[in-house]
Amino acid sequence: MNTLPSTWWFIFHNDQLLLEKKDGSYTIPRQQEIPVTATESIIHEISTLDNSSCKALVVPSSIEDNNQYLMVDLRSSYDYLPEALYNMAGKASEILYWDKTSTYCPVCGTQTKQFMPIAKKCPTCSFEMFPAISTAILALVRKGDSVLLVRARNFRGPFHGLVAGFLETGESLEECAQREVLEETGLTIKNVTYFGSQPWPFPSGLMVGFIADYESGEIQLQEEELTSAAFYSKDNLPELPRKLSLARKMIDWWLENS
């Protein structure tokens, strides 16, 4: 007997994601029909995963926690979901954010119309809109047997991480890393090499990591951005970022290879 294909349902209310309690763990609801009432919600086709389509939508009210469902913020869902589902939830969140922020044409103000899963078009002036990705760099700076760690004012917690900043027009990613380190700490760096990248759906970014070596300078804080910055050895590390971040992956790499 053939069965209809199932769907992964990524359901959000504000920044809360619906998780299903199943077999002693948590997952994304996976079934043929939408698991909640959402008569006025727009359903977005996101991708496919494990031969099932992935769909995302926003519901007007939160679903109360019960024996079947739990709602958590997207960051916290990392602690509940397998990596593939967490990454897809991030993509779903970015599409929903794009849909919310692209209702009207920025050229003429006409209400846009969606004509592809990730494309909208103005019916008046034909301007096309696609999800915008904000690119930011992370810089892990080595000095001898120590690493530069900073405490940014916008960090959600007492941890220390890496110098970070958004890419500006007219510069390469490597130039961005050099500029951000200099602006935030007063240090110049050299040997800037690519480490890796990570989608960062808070709300719609891409983090690009670089490894670099200290060249010169004394730490001088850009106080509107940082509350502290210092070089730390393995023996005196402060609290580090959570495992979900590329910054933590880079710091762990440094710990294993220094």
Side-chain angles (χ1 to χ4, degrees), residues 23 46 56 66 73 91 104 112-113 122 164 204 220 224 229 242-243:
D23 299 328
I46 301 300
N66 53 45
D73 64 87
K91 180 173 182 177
Y104 297 98
T112 57
K113 292 185 177 181
C122 176
S204 189
Q220 298 179 17
E224 61 268 31
R242 295 180 62 199
K243 290 285 188 180

Side-chain angles (χ1 to χ4, degrees), residues 105 108-113 120-128:
C105 174
C108 70
T110 303
Q111 187 166 353
T112 57
K113 292 185 177 181
K120 292 185 179 183
K121 190 172 186 177
C122 176
T124 299
C125 69
S126 298
F127 181 79
E128 295 184 357

Side-chain angles (χ1 to χ4, degrees), residues 1-58:
M1 179 178 177
N2 293 329
T3 59
L4 294 173
S6 60
T7 296
W8 295 103
W9 295 98
F10 294 86
I11 299 170
F12 288 84
H13 173 67
N14 295 332
D15 65 343
Q16 302 288 299
L17 171 66
L18 183 68
L19 304 184
E20 183 178 11
K21 303 174 184 179
K22 195 170 185 179
D23 299 328
S25 61
Y26 294 87
T27 186
I28 296 297
R30 188 184 193 184
Q31 56 193 63
Q32 293 174 15
E33 302 296 331
I34 184 171
V36 298
T37 302
T39 54
E40 298 181 2
S41 299
I42 299 173
I43 298 175
H44 294 265
E45 296 280 351
I46 301 300
S47 185
T48 58
L49 180 65
D50 295 339
N51 298 317
S52 293
S53 63
C54 301
K55 297 181 180 181
L57 65 149
V58 174

Side-chain angles (χ1 to χ4, degrees), residues 153-154 183 221-227:
R153 292 191 179 277
N154 64 354
E183 286 180 354
L221 291 183
Q222 186 179 32
E223 294 186 354
E224 61 268 31
E225 296 287 342
L226 304 180
T227 60

Side-chain angles (χ1 to χ4, degrees), residues 24 46 56 59 73 130 134 147 209 231 237 258:
I46 301 300
V59 291
D73 64 87
F130 303 88
S134 299
V147 65
F231 283 96
L237 291 174
S258 63

Side-chain angles (χ1 to χ4, degrees), residues 124-211:
T124 299
C125 69
S126 298
F127 181 79
E128 295 184 357
M129 300 178 67
F130 303 88
I133 306 298
S134 299
T135 303
I137 63 88
L138 292 166
L140 186 148
V141 181
R142 302 173 294 190
K143 182 181 181 183
D145 63 353
S146 62
V147 65
L148 178 66
L149 298 176
V150 302
R151 175 81 178 84
R153 292 191 179 277
N154 64 354
F155 281 174
R156 295 184 175 183
F159 62 87
H160 284 62
L162 304 178
V163 170
F166 287 105
L167 180 71
E168 294 185 355
T169 54
E171 67 181 356
S172 68
L173 290 166
E174 291 82 0
E175 289 170 339
C176 179
Q178 292 172 315
R179 174 183 56 77
E180 286 291 344
V181 172
L182 181 61
E183 286 180 354
E184 293 192 5
T185 68
L187 304 178
T188 59
I189 57 175
K190 60 183 179 180
N191 304 327
V192 180
T193 57
Y194 174 74
F195 177 88
S197 63
Q198 176 190 33
W200 193 245
F202 305 106
S204 189
L206 176 69
M207 305 301 291
V208 185
F210 291 90
I211 307 297

